[in-house]
Short mmCIF file of all heavy atoms in Angstrom, two decimals:
data_model
loop_
_atom_site.label_atom_id
_atom_site.label_comp_id
_atom_site.label_asym_id
_atom_site.label_seq_id
_atom_site.Cartn_x
_atom_site.Cartn_y
_atom_site.Cartn_z
N MET A 1 -28.77 -70.20 -38.40
CA MET A 1 -28.52 -71.52 -38.90
C MET A 1 -29.78 -71.96 -39.65
O MET A 1 -30.89 -71.75 -39.19
CB MET A 1 -28.24 -72.48 -37.73
CG MET A 1 -28.16 -73.90 -38.17
SD MET A 1 -27.86 -75.19 -36.92
CE MET A 1 -27.98 -74.45 -35.37
N HIS A 2 -29.57 -72.53 -40.80
CA HIS A 2 -30.67 -73.07 -41.60
C HIS A 2 -30.64 -74.59 -41.50
O HIS A 2 -29.59 -75.20 -41.58
CB HIS A 2 -30.52 -72.65 -43.06
CG HIS A 2 -30.58 -71.17 -43.24
ND1 HIS A 2 -31.77 -70.50 -43.39
CD2 HIS A 2 -29.62 -70.22 -43.26
CE1 HIS A 2 -31.53 -69.21 -43.50
NE2 HIS A 2 -30.22 -69.02 -43.44
N ARG A 3 -31.83 -75.18 -41.30
CA ARG A 3 -31.91 -76.63 -41.22
C ARG A 3 -32.88 -77.15 -42.27
O ARG A 3 -33.86 -76.48 -42.60
CB ARG A 3 -32.39 -77.07 -39.83
CG ARG A 3 -31.45 -76.63 -38.72
CD ARG A 3 -31.86 -77.17 -37.39
NE ARG A 3 -33.20 -76.72 -36.98
CZ ARG A 3 -33.76 -77.05 -35.82
NH1 ARG A 3 -33.13 -77.81 -34.95
NH2 ARG A 3 -34.97 -76.60 -35.52
N HIS A 4 -32.58 -78.33 -42.76
CA HIS A 4 -33.43 -79.00 -43.73
C HIS A 4 -33.75 -80.38 -43.16
O HIS A 4 -32.86 -81.19 -42.94
CB HIS A 4 -32.72 -79.12 -45.08
CG HIS A 4 -33.52 -79.85 -46.11
ND1 HIS A 4 -32.94 -80.51 -47.15
CD2 HIS A 4 -34.86 -80.02 -46.27
CE1 HIS A 4 -33.87 -81.07 -47.90
NE2 HIS A 4 -35.05 -80.78 -47.39
N TRP A 5 -35.01 -80.62 -42.89
CA TRP A 5 -35.47 -81.87 -42.28
C TRP A 5 -36.08 -82.77 -43.35
O TRP A 5 -36.87 -82.31 -44.16
CB TRP A 5 -36.53 -81.59 -41.23
CG TRP A 5 -36.09 -80.70 -40.14
CD1 TRP A 5 -36.10 -79.34 -40.13
CD2 TRP A 5 -35.57 -81.10 -38.88
NE1 TRP A 5 -35.62 -78.87 -38.94
CE2 TRP A 5 -35.28 -79.94 -38.14
CE3 TRP A 5 -35.31 -82.33 -38.29
CZ2 TRP A 5 -34.76 -79.97 -36.87
CZ3 TRP A 5 -34.80 -82.36 -37.00
CH2 TRP A 5 -34.53 -81.19 -36.30
N VAL A 6 -35.73 -84.05 -43.34
CA VAL A 6 -36.36 -85.04 -44.19
C VAL A 6 -36.90 -86.13 -43.27
O VAL A 6 -36.15 -86.78 -42.55
CB VAL A 6 -35.38 -85.66 -45.22
CG1 VAL A 6 -36.08 -86.69 -46.07
CG2 VAL A 6 -34.77 -84.56 -46.09
N PHE A 7 -38.21 -86.30 -43.26
CA PHE A 7 -38.87 -87.24 -42.35
C PHE A 7 -39.03 -88.61 -43.00
O PHE A 7 -39.02 -88.72 -44.24
CB PHE A 7 -40.23 -86.67 -41.93
CG PHE A 7 -40.11 -85.35 -41.21
CD1 PHE A 7 -40.35 -84.16 -41.89
CD2 PHE A 7 -39.75 -85.30 -39.87
CE1 PHE A 7 -40.22 -82.94 -41.24
CE2 PHE A 7 -39.62 -84.09 -39.22
CZ PHE A 7 -39.86 -82.91 -39.91
N PRO A 8 -39.20 -89.66 -42.19
CA PRO A 8 -39.38 -91.00 -42.74
C PRO A 8 -40.53 -91.09 -43.75
O PRO A 8 -40.48 -91.90 -44.68
CB PRO A 8 -39.67 -91.87 -41.51
CG PRO A 8 -38.99 -91.16 -40.40
CD PRO A 8 -39.14 -89.69 -40.72
N SER A 9 -41.51 -90.23 -43.60
CA SER A 9 -42.66 -90.24 -44.52
C SER A 9 -42.30 -89.67 -45.89
O SER A 9 -43.07 -89.78 -46.84
CB SER A 9 -43.81 -89.42 -43.93
OG SER A 9 -43.42 -88.05 -43.87
N GLY A 10 -41.12 -89.04 -45.98
CA GLY A 10 -40.73 -88.38 -47.22
C GLY A 10 -41.01 -86.90 -47.22
O GLY A 10 -40.53 -86.16 -48.08
N ASP A 11 -41.81 -86.43 -46.24
CA ASP A 11 -42.07 -84.99 -46.12
C ASP A 11 -40.78 -84.27 -45.77
O ASP A 11 -39.89 -84.82 -45.12
CB ASP A 11 -43.11 -84.72 -45.03
CG ASP A 11 -44.51 -85.19 -45.41
OD1 ASP A 11 -44.75 -85.37 -46.61
OD2 ASP A 11 -45.33 -85.37 -44.50
N GLU A 12 -40.70 -83.01 -46.20
CA GLU A 12 -39.55 -82.19 -45.91
C GLU A 12 -39.99 -80.89 -45.26
O GLU A 12 -41.09 -80.42 -45.50
CB GLU A 12 -38.76 -81.89 -47.18
CG GLU A 12 -38.19 -83.12 -47.85
CD GLU A 12 -37.34 -82.78 -49.05
OE1 GLU A 12 -36.81 -81.66 -49.12
OE2 GLU A 12 -37.20 -83.66 -49.92
N ALA A 13 -39.12 -80.33 -44.47
CA ALA A 13 -39.38 -79.04 -43.84
C ALA A 13 -38.06 -78.29 -43.70
O ALA A 13 -37.00 -78.90 -43.60
CB ALA A 13 -40.04 -79.22 -42.47
N ARG A 14 -38.16 -76.99 -43.71
CA ARG A 14 -36.98 -76.14 -43.52
C ARG A 14 -37.31 -75.13 -42.43
O ARG A 14 -38.44 -74.69 -42.30
CB ARG A 14 -36.62 -75.40 -44.80
CG ARG A 14 -36.22 -76.33 -45.93
CD ARG A 14 -35.93 -75.53 -47.20
NE ARG A 14 -35.72 -76.41 -48.33
CZ ARG A 14 -34.55 -76.96 -48.66
NH1 ARG A 14 -33.47 -76.68 -47.93
NH2 ARG A 14 -34.44 -77.75 -49.70
N ASP A 15 -36.29 -74.78 -41.65
CA ASP A 15 -36.47 -73.73 -40.66
C ASP A 15 -35.16 -73.01 -40.44
O ASP A 15 -34.12 -73.38 -40.97
CB ASP A 15 -37.07 -74.25 -39.35
CG ASP A 15 -36.16 -75.21 -38.60
OD1 ASP A 15 -35.06 -75.51 -39.08
OD2 ASP A 15 -36.55 -75.64 -37.52
N GLU A 16 -35.24 -71.95 -39.67
CA GLU A 16 -34.08 -71.12 -39.37
C GLU A 16 -34.02 -70.90 -37.87
O GLU A 16 -35.04 -70.64 -37.23
CB GLU A 16 -34.20 -69.78 -40.09
CG GLU A 16 -33.06 -68.84 -39.82
CD GLU A 16 -33.22 -67.52 -40.56
OE1 GLU A 16 -33.80 -67.51 -41.65
OE2 GLU A 16 -32.76 -66.51 -40.00
N ILE A 17 -32.83 -71.02 -37.33
CA ILE A 17 -32.62 -70.79 -35.90
C ILE A 17 -31.67 -69.60 -35.75
O ILE A 17 -30.64 -69.55 -36.39
CB ILE A 17 -31.99 -72.02 -35.22
CG1 ILE A 17 -32.91 -73.21 -35.31
CG2 ILE A 17 -31.65 -71.72 -33.77
CD1 ILE A 17 -32.27 -74.48 -34.79
N ARG A 18 -32.05 -68.68 -34.90
CA ARG A 18 -31.17 -67.56 -34.56
C ARG A 18 -30.80 -67.72 -33.10
O ARG A 18 -31.67 -67.84 -32.25
CB ARG A 18 -31.86 -66.23 -34.79
CG ARG A 18 -32.14 -65.99 -36.24
CD ARG A 18 -32.76 -64.64 -36.43
NE ARG A 18 -33.05 -64.45 -37.85
CZ ARG A 18 -33.47 -63.33 -38.35
NH1 ARG A 18 -33.65 -62.29 -37.57
NH2 ARG A 18 -33.71 -63.22 -39.64
N ARG A 19 -29.51 -67.71 -32.84
CA ARG A 19 -29.04 -67.89 -31.47
C ARG A 19 -28.17 -66.71 -31.04
O ARG A 19 -27.54 -66.08 -31.87
CB ARG A 19 -28.18 -69.15 -31.35
CG ARG A 19 -28.86 -70.39 -31.73
CD ARG A 19 -28.00 -71.55 -31.38
NE ARG A 19 -27.29 -72.02 -32.56
CZ ARG A 19 -26.59 -73.13 -32.58
NH1 ARG A 19 -26.49 -73.87 -31.51
NH2 ARG A 19 -25.98 -73.51 -33.66
N ARG A 20 -28.15 -66.50 -29.76
CA ARG A 20 -27.25 -65.53 -29.17
C ARG A 20 -26.43 -66.27 -28.13
O ARG A 20 -26.99 -66.88 -27.23
CB ARG A 20 -28.01 -64.39 -28.51
CG ARG A 20 -27.08 -63.37 -27.91
CD ARG A 20 -27.88 -62.18 -27.36
NE ARG A 20 -27.00 -61.23 -26.75
CZ ARG A 20 -26.54 -61.33 -25.50
NH1 ARG A 20 -26.91 -62.33 -24.75
NH2 ARG A 20 -25.75 -60.41 -25.00
N VAL A 21 -25.13 -66.21 -28.25
CA VAL A 21 -24.25 -66.89 -27.32
C VAL A 21 -23.86 -65.92 -26.21
O VAL A 21 -23.47 -64.79 -26.47
CB VAL A 21 -22.98 -67.40 -28.05
CG1 VAL A 21 -22.03 -68.06 -27.07
CG2 VAL A 21 -23.37 -68.36 -29.15
N LEU A 22 -23.99 -66.38 -24.96
CA LEU A 22 -23.62 -65.55 -23.81
C LEU A 22 -22.19 -65.83 -23.41
O LEU A 22 -21.73 -66.97 -23.44
CB LEU A 22 -24.53 -65.87 -22.63
CG LEU A 22 -26.02 -65.64 -22.83
CD1 LEU A 22 -26.80 -66.10 -21.61
CD2 LEU A 22 -26.32 -64.19 -23.12
N PHE A 23 -21.49 -64.79 -23.00
CA PHE A 23 -20.16 -64.97 -22.42
C PHE A 23 -20.34 -65.58 -21.03
O PHE A 23 -21.38 -65.39 -20.39
CB PHE A 23 -19.44 -63.63 -22.32
CG PHE A 23 -19.03 -63.07 -23.65
CD1 PHE A 23 -19.78 -62.07 -24.25
CD2 PHE A 23 -17.92 -63.56 -24.32
CE1 PHE A 23 -19.41 -61.56 -25.48
CE2 PHE A 23 -17.54 -63.05 -25.55
CZ PHE A 23 -18.30 -62.05 -26.13
N PRO A 24 -19.35 -66.31 -20.53
CA PRO A 24 -19.50 -66.98 -19.22
C PRO A 24 -19.92 -66.04 -18.09
O PRO A 24 -20.82 -66.37 -17.32
CB PRO A 24 -18.12 -67.58 -18.97
CG PRO A 24 -17.58 -67.83 -20.34
CD PRO A 24 -18.08 -66.69 -21.17
N ARG A 25 -19.31 -64.88 -17.97
CA ARG A 25 -19.67 -63.96 -16.87
C ARG A 25 -21.08 -63.41 -17.06
O ARG A 25 -21.82 -63.19 -16.10
CB ARG A 25 -18.68 -62.80 -16.77
CG ARG A 25 -17.28 -63.23 -16.47
CD ARG A 25 -17.16 -63.95 -15.12
NE ARG A 25 -15.99 -64.79 -15.11
CZ ARG A 25 -15.99 -66.11 -14.98
NH1 ARG A 25 -17.11 -66.76 -14.83
NH2 ARG A 25 -14.89 -66.81 -14.98
N GLU A 26 -21.47 -63.21 -18.30
CA GLU A 26 -22.82 -62.74 -18.59
C GLU A 26 -23.85 -63.81 -18.20
O GLU A 26 -24.89 -63.51 -17.61
CB GLU A 26 -22.91 -62.43 -20.08
CG GLU A 26 -24.20 -61.82 -20.53
CD GLU A 26 -24.22 -61.53 -22.01
OE1 GLU A 26 -23.31 -61.96 -22.75
OE2 GLU A 26 -25.18 -60.89 -22.44
N LEU A 27 -23.55 -65.06 -18.50
CA LEU A 27 -24.43 -66.16 -18.12
C LEU A 27 -24.54 -66.27 -16.60
O LEU A 27 -25.62 -66.45 -16.06
CB LEU A 27 -23.93 -67.48 -18.71
CG LEU A 27 -24.73 -68.72 -18.34
CD1 LEU A 27 -26.19 -68.58 -18.74
CD2 LEU A 27 -24.11 -69.95 -18.98
N GLU A 28 -23.40 -66.13 -15.90
CA GLU A 28 -23.43 -66.17 -14.43
C GLU A 28 -24.31 -65.06 -13.87
O GLU A 28 -25.09 -65.28 -12.95
CB GLU A 28 -22.02 -66.06 -13.87
CG GLU A 28 -21.20 -67.32 -14.03
CD GLU A 28 -19.80 -67.17 -13.48
OE1 GLU A 28 -19.31 -66.03 -13.29
OE2 GLU A 28 -19.17 -68.22 -13.24
N ARG A 29 -24.19 -63.86 -14.42
CA ARG A 29 -24.99 -62.73 -13.94
C ARG A 29 -26.48 -62.97 -14.17
O ARG A 29 -27.30 -62.74 -13.29
CB ARG A 29 -24.53 -61.43 -14.62
CG ARG A 29 -25.20 -60.20 -14.02
CD ARG A 29 -24.78 -58.92 -14.70
NE ARG A 29 -25.45 -58.83 -15.99
CZ ARG A 29 -24.84 -58.76 -17.16
NH1 ARG A 29 -23.54 -58.76 -17.23
NH2 ARG A 29 -25.54 -58.68 -18.28
N CYS A 30 -26.82 -63.46 -15.34
CA CYS A 30 -28.23 -63.75 -15.65
C CYS A 30 -28.77 -64.86 -14.75
O CYS A 30 -29.89 -64.77 -14.24
CB CYS A 30 -28.38 -64.15 -17.11
SG CYS A 30 -28.11 -62.82 -18.27
N ALA A 31 -27.98 -65.90 -14.55
CA ALA A 31 -28.40 -67.01 -13.69
C ALA A 31 -28.60 -66.53 -12.25
O ALA A 31 -29.60 -66.86 -11.61
CB ALA A 31 -27.36 -68.13 -13.74
N ARG A 32 -27.66 -65.73 -11.76
CA ARG A 32 -27.77 -65.21 -10.39
C ARG A 32 -29.02 -64.35 -10.24
O ARG A 32 -29.75 -64.45 -9.26
CB ARG A 32 -26.51 -64.40 -10.06
CG ARG A 32 -26.32 -64.10 -8.61
CD ARG A 32 -24.95 -63.52 -8.26
NE ARG A 32 -24.46 -62.52 -9.21
CZ ARG A 32 -23.44 -62.72 -10.06
NH1 ARG A 32 -22.81 -63.87 -10.10
NH2 ARG A 32 -23.05 -61.76 -10.87
N GLY A 33 -29.32 -63.53 -11.25
CA GLY A 33 -30.51 -62.70 -11.22
C GLY A 33 -31.80 -63.50 -11.22
O GLY A 33 -32.83 -63.04 -10.75
N ALA A 34 -31.74 -64.72 -11.76
CA ALA A 34 -32.92 -65.59 -11.80
C ALA A 34 -32.97 -66.55 -10.62
O ALA A 34 -33.84 -67.42 -10.56
CB ALA A 34 -32.92 -66.39 -13.11
N GLY A 35 -32.03 -66.39 -9.68
CA GLY A 35 -32.05 -67.21 -8.46
C GLY A 35 -31.21 -68.48 -8.52
O GLY A 35 -31.42 -69.38 -7.73
N PHE A 36 -30.24 -68.54 -9.43
CA PHE A 36 -29.39 -69.72 -9.54
C PHE A 36 -27.97 -69.40 -9.11
O PHE A 36 -27.49 -68.29 -9.29
CB PHE A 36 -29.35 -70.24 -10.99
CG PHE A 36 -30.62 -70.89 -11.42
CD1 PHE A 36 -31.66 -70.14 -11.95
CD2 PHE A 36 -30.79 -72.26 -11.32
CE1 PHE A 36 -32.84 -70.73 -12.36
CE2 PHE A 36 -31.96 -72.87 -11.72
CZ PHE A 36 -32.99 -72.10 -12.24
N GLU A 37 -27.30 -70.39 -8.57
CA GLU A 37 -25.88 -70.32 -8.26
C GLU A 37 -25.17 -71.23 -9.26
O GLU A 37 -25.46 -72.42 -9.35
CB GLU A 37 -25.62 -70.82 -6.84
CG GLU A 37 -24.17 -70.95 -6.50
CD GLU A 37 -23.93 -71.71 -5.20
OE1 GLU A 37 -24.91 -72.21 -4.60
OE2 GLU A 37 -22.77 -71.80 -4.80
N VAL A 38 -24.26 -70.67 -10.04
CA VAL A 38 -23.52 -71.46 -11.02
C VAL A 38 -22.47 -72.28 -10.27
O VAL A 38 -21.64 -71.74 -9.55
CB VAL A 38 -22.86 -70.58 -12.09
CG1 VAL A 38 -21.97 -71.40 -13.00
CG2 VAL A 38 -23.93 -69.87 -12.91
N LEU A 39 -22.53 -73.59 -10.43
CA LEU A 39 -21.60 -74.48 -9.76
C LEU A 39 -20.41 -74.84 -10.63
O LEU A 39 -19.30 -75.04 -10.12
CB LEU A 39 -22.33 -75.77 -9.34
CG LEU A 39 -23.55 -75.57 -8.46
CD1 LEU A 39 -24.25 -76.90 -8.23
CD2 LEU A 39 -23.16 -74.92 -7.14
N ASP A 40 -20.62 -74.94 -11.94
CA ASP A 40 -19.53 -75.32 -12.83
C ASP A 40 -19.87 -74.93 -14.26
O ASP A 40 -21.04 -74.90 -14.64
CB ASP A 40 -19.29 -76.83 -12.76
CG ASP A 40 -18.00 -77.27 -13.42
OD1 ASP A 40 -17.10 -76.42 -13.63
OD2 ASP A 40 -17.87 -78.46 -13.73
N MET A 41 -18.83 -74.63 -15.02
CA MET A 41 -18.94 -74.42 -16.46
C MET A 41 -17.81 -75.20 -17.09
O MET A 41 -16.67 -75.10 -16.66
CB MET A 41 -18.80 -72.94 -16.83
CG MET A 41 -19.97 -72.09 -16.47
SD MET A 41 -19.71 -70.45 -17.17
CE MET A 41 -21.12 -69.61 -16.52
N THR A 42 -18.12 -75.98 -18.10
CA THR A 42 -17.10 -76.78 -18.76
C THR A 42 -17.43 -76.93 -20.23
O THR A 42 -18.58 -76.82 -20.64
CB THR A 42 -16.98 -78.18 -18.11
OG1 THR A 42 -15.96 -78.92 -18.76
CG2 THR A 42 -18.28 -78.95 -18.19
N ASP A 43 -16.40 -77.17 -21.01
CA ASP A 43 -16.63 -77.49 -22.43
C ASP A 43 -16.27 -78.95 -22.71
O ASP A 43 -16.24 -79.37 -23.85
CB ASP A 43 -15.87 -76.54 -23.35
CG ASP A 43 -14.36 -76.71 -23.26
OD1 ASP A 43 -13.89 -77.54 -22.46
OD2 ASP A 43 -13.66 -76.01 -24.00
N GLY A 44 -16.00 -79.70 -21.65
CA GLY A 44 -15.71 -81.12 -21.78
C GLY A 44 -14.26 -81.45 -22.06
O GLY A 44 -13.89 -82.61 -22.11
N THR A 45 -13.41 -80.43 -22.22
CA THR A 45 -12.00 -80.68 -22.50
C THR A 45 -11.15 -80.74 -21.24
O THR A 45 -10.02 -81.19 -21.30
CB THR A 45 -11.41 -79.59 -23.41
OG1 THR A 45 -11.43 -78.34 -22.71
CG2 THR A 45 -12.18 -79.47 -24.71
N GLY A 46 -11.69 -80.25 -20.12
CA GLY A 46 -10.90 -80.17 -18.90
C GLY A 46 -10.03 -78.93 -18.86
O GLY A 46 -9.30 -78.71 -17.91
N GLU A 47 -10.10 -78.15 -19.89
CA GLU A 47 -9.32 -76.90 -19.98
C GLU A 47 -10.26 -75.73 -19.73
O GLU A 47 -11.32 -75.87 -19.17
CB GLU A 47 -8.68 -76.79 -21.37
CG GLU A 47 -7.78 -77.95 -21.73
CD GLU A 47 -6.48 -77.98 -20.95
OE1 GLU A 47 -5.95 -76.89 -20.67
OE2 GLU A 47 -6.02 -79.07 -20.63
N ARG A 48 -9.85 -74.57 -20.23
CA ARG A 48 -10.72 -73.41 -20.17
C ARG A 48 -11.88 -73.60 -21.13
O ARG A 48 -11.94 -74.55 -21.88
CB ARG A 48 -9.93 -72.16 -20.56
CG ARG A 48 -8.75 -71.91 -19.65
CD ARG A 48 -7.97 -70.71 -20.08
NE ARG A 48 -8.22 -70.38 -21.48
CZ ARG A 48 -7.48 -69.58 -22.19
NH1 ARG A 48 -6.42 -69.04 -21.68
NH2 ARG A 48 -7.77 -69.31 -23.46
N LEU A 49 -12.80 -72.65 -21.12
CA LEU A 49 -13.96 -72.72 -22.03
C LEU A 49 -13.53 -72.30 -23.43
O LEU A 49 -13.68 -71.17 -23.83
CB LEU A 49 -15.08 -71.82 -21.51
CG LEU A 49 -15.68 -72.21 -20.17
CD1 LEU A 49 -16.66 -71.15 -19.70
CD2 LEU A 49 -16.36 -73.56 -20.25
N THR A 50 -12.97 -73.26 -24.17
CA THR A 50 -12.47 -72.93 -25.50
C THR A 50 -13.09 -73.79 -26.59
O THR A 50 -12.87 -73.54 -27.76
CB THR A 50 -10.94 -73.13 -25.56
OG1 THR A 50 -10.64 -74.48 -25.19
CG2 THR A 50 -10.22 -72.17 -24.62
N GLY A 51 -13.85 -74.80 -26.23
CA GLY A 51 -14.44 -75.70 -27.21
C GLY A 51 -15.68 -75.11 -27.86
O GLY A 51 -16.16 -74.05 -27.47
N PRO A 52 -16.24 -75.81 -28.84
CA PRO A 52 -17.41 -75.31 -29.55
C PRO A 52 -18.71 -75.45 -28.76
O PRO A 52 -19.73 -74.87 -29.11
CB PRO A 52 -17.46 -76.17 -30.81
CG PRO A 52 -16.80 -77.44 -30.40
CD PRO A 52 -15.74 -77.05 -29.41
N THR A 53 -18.68 -76.23 -27.68
CA THR A 53 -19.87 -76.47 -26.86
C THR A 53 -19.50 -76.26 -25.40
O THR A 53 -18.43 -76.62 -24.98
CB THR A 53 -20.37 -77.91 -27.04
OG1 THR A 53 -20.63 -78.12 -28.43
CG2 THR A 53 -21.64 -78.16 -26.26
N ALA A 54 -20.41 -75.66 -24.65
CA ALA A 54 -20.17 -75.46 -23.22
C ALA A 54 -21.39 -75.91 -22.43
O ALA A 54 -22.52 -75.84 -22.93
CB ALA A 54 -19.85 -74.00 -22.92
N TYR A 55 -21.16 -76.38 -21.24
CA TYR A 55 -22.21 -76.85 -20.34
C TYR A 55 -22.12 -76.07 -19.04
O TYR A 55 -21.03 -75.79 -18.55
CB TYR A 55 -22.05 -78.34 -20.06
CG TYR A 55 -21.99 -79.16 -21.32
CD1 TYR A 55 -20.76 -79.50 -21.88
CD2 TYR A 55 -23.15 -79.57 -21.96
CE1 TYR A 55 -20.69 -80.24 -23.05
CE2 TYR A 55 -23.09 -80.31 -23.13
CZ TYR A 55 -21.85 -80.64 -23.67
OH TYR A 55 -21.79 -81.36 -24.82
N THR A 56 -23.27 -75.75 -18.48
CA THR A 56 -23.33 -75.04 -17.21
C THR A 56 -24.17 -75.84 -16.24
O THR A 56 -25.26 -76.31 -16.58
CB THR A 56 -23.95 -73.65 -17.39
OG1 THR A 56 -23.16 -72.91 -18.33
CG2 THR A 56 -24.01 -72.89 -16.08
N VAL A 57 -23.65 -76.00 -15.02
CA VAL A 57 -24.38 -76.67 -13.95
C VAL A 57 -24.69 -75.60 -12.91
O VAL A 57 -23.80 -74.87 -12.47
CB VAL A 57 -23.54 -77.80 -13.31
CG1 VAL A 57 -24.29 -78.45 -12.17
CG2 VAL A 57 -23.12 -78.81 -14.37
N ALA A 58 -25.96 -75.50 -12.55
CA ALA A 58 -26.38 -74.48 -11.58
C ALA A 58 -27.43 -75.06 -10.64
O ALA A 58 -28.11 -76.02 -10.97
CB ALA A 58 -26.95 -73.27 -12.31
N ARG A 59 -27.52 -74.42 -9.48
CA ARG A 59 -28.49 -74.86 -8.46
C ARG A 59 -29.43 -73.68 -8.18
O ARG A 59 -28.98 -72.55 -7.99
CB ARG A 59 -27.74 -75.26 -7.20
CG ARG A 59 -28.64 -75.55 -6.03
CD ARG A 59 -27.90 -75.98 -4.77
NE ARG A 59 -26.61 -75.36 -4.62
CZ ARG A 59 -25.52 -76.00 -4.16
NH1 ARG A 59 -25.59 -77.24 -3.79
NH2 ARG A 59 -24.37 -75.36 -4.04
N TYR A 60 -30.71 -73.97 -8.13
CA TYR A 60 -31.70 -72.95 -7.79
C TYR A 60 -31.62 -72.67 -6.31
O TYR A 60 -31.68 -73.59 -5.48
CB TYR A 60 -33.11 -73.42 -8.18
CG TYR A 60 -34.16 -72.36 -8.08
CD1 TYR A 60 -34.13 -71.24 -8.90
CD2 TYR A 60 -35.18 -72.48 -7.15
CE1 TYR A 60 -35.09 -70.25 -8.82
CE2 TYR A 60 -36.15 -71.49 -7.06
CZ TYR A 60 -36.10 -70.39 -7.89
OH TYR A 60 -37.06 -69.40 -7.80
N THR A 61 -31.47 -71.42 -5.93
CA THR A 61 -31.24 -71.07 -4.53
C THR A 61 -32.39 -70.33 -3.87
O THR A 61 -32.41 -70.20 -2.65
CB THR A 61 -29.96 -70.21 -4.40
OG1 THR A 61 -30.11 -69.03 -5.21
CG2 THR A 61 -28.74 -70.99 -4.83
N ARG A 62 -33.34 -69.83 -4.64
CA ARG A 62 -34.48 -69.11 -4.03
C ARG A 62 -35.52 -70.09 -3.54
O ARG A 62 -35.76 -71.12 -4.13
CB ARG A 62 -35.10 -68.17 -5.05
CG ARG A 62 -34.23 -67.02 -5.38
CD ARG A 62 -34.97 -66.02 -6.21
NE ARG A 62 -34.04 -65.00 -6.65
CZ ARG A 62 -34.22 -64.24 -7.69
NH1 ARG A 62 -35.30 -64.37 -8.44
NH2 ARG A 62 -33.36 -63.32 -8.03
N ARG A 63 -36.17 -69.71 -2.47
CA ARG A 63 -37.25 -70.55 -1.92
C ARG A 63 -38.49 -69.76 -1.75
O ARG A 63 -38.57 -68.66 -1.56
CB ARG A 63 -36.82 -71.14 -0.59
CG ARG A 63 -35.65 -72.03 -0.82
CD ARG A 63 -35.44 -72.93 0.29
NE ARG A 63 -34.24 -73.70 -0.06
CZ ARG A 63 -34.04 -74.91 0.23
NH1 ARG A 63 -34.91 -75.56 0.92
NH2 ARG A 63 -32.96 -75.53 -0.10
#
């Protein structure tokens, strides 16, 4: 993704973001390996994870 920033001062900046999207089961496995228990995954629709944005709620379980 390419972004173009225009600041109140009139200065401009450009940058590039590279992202990797994890599948839900892959995210659960990574979270579990880091000591988290995934409590919920939602995209805000109340349906399956089909929307453009997803949220994950997890609890740290290691002490």
Side-chain angles (χ1 to χ4, degrees):
M1 173 181 9
H2 297 274
R3 299 185 300 182
H4 178 206
W5 301 86
V6 179
F7 300 100
S9 66
D11 290 340
E12 297 184 25
R14 296 178 187 273
D15 65 359
E16 179 179 329
I17 298 174
R18 294 183 182 187
R19 300 188 261 189
R20 180 175 178 277
V21 178
L22 300 175
F23 290 101
R25 298 298 157 242
E26 185 180 9
L27 178 57
E28 286 179 341
R29 187 181 76 240
C30 290
R32 195 170 41 251
F36 289 86
E37 172 191 4
V38 173
L39 304 175
D40 192 18
M41 288 187 184
T42 181
D43 67 358
T45 65
E47 303 288 325
R48 300 178 339 195
L49 296 173
T50 57
T53 303
Y55 306 95
T56 301
V57 178
R59 172 179 33 219
Y60 189 66
T61 58
R62 290 188 187 158
R63 297 198 182 215

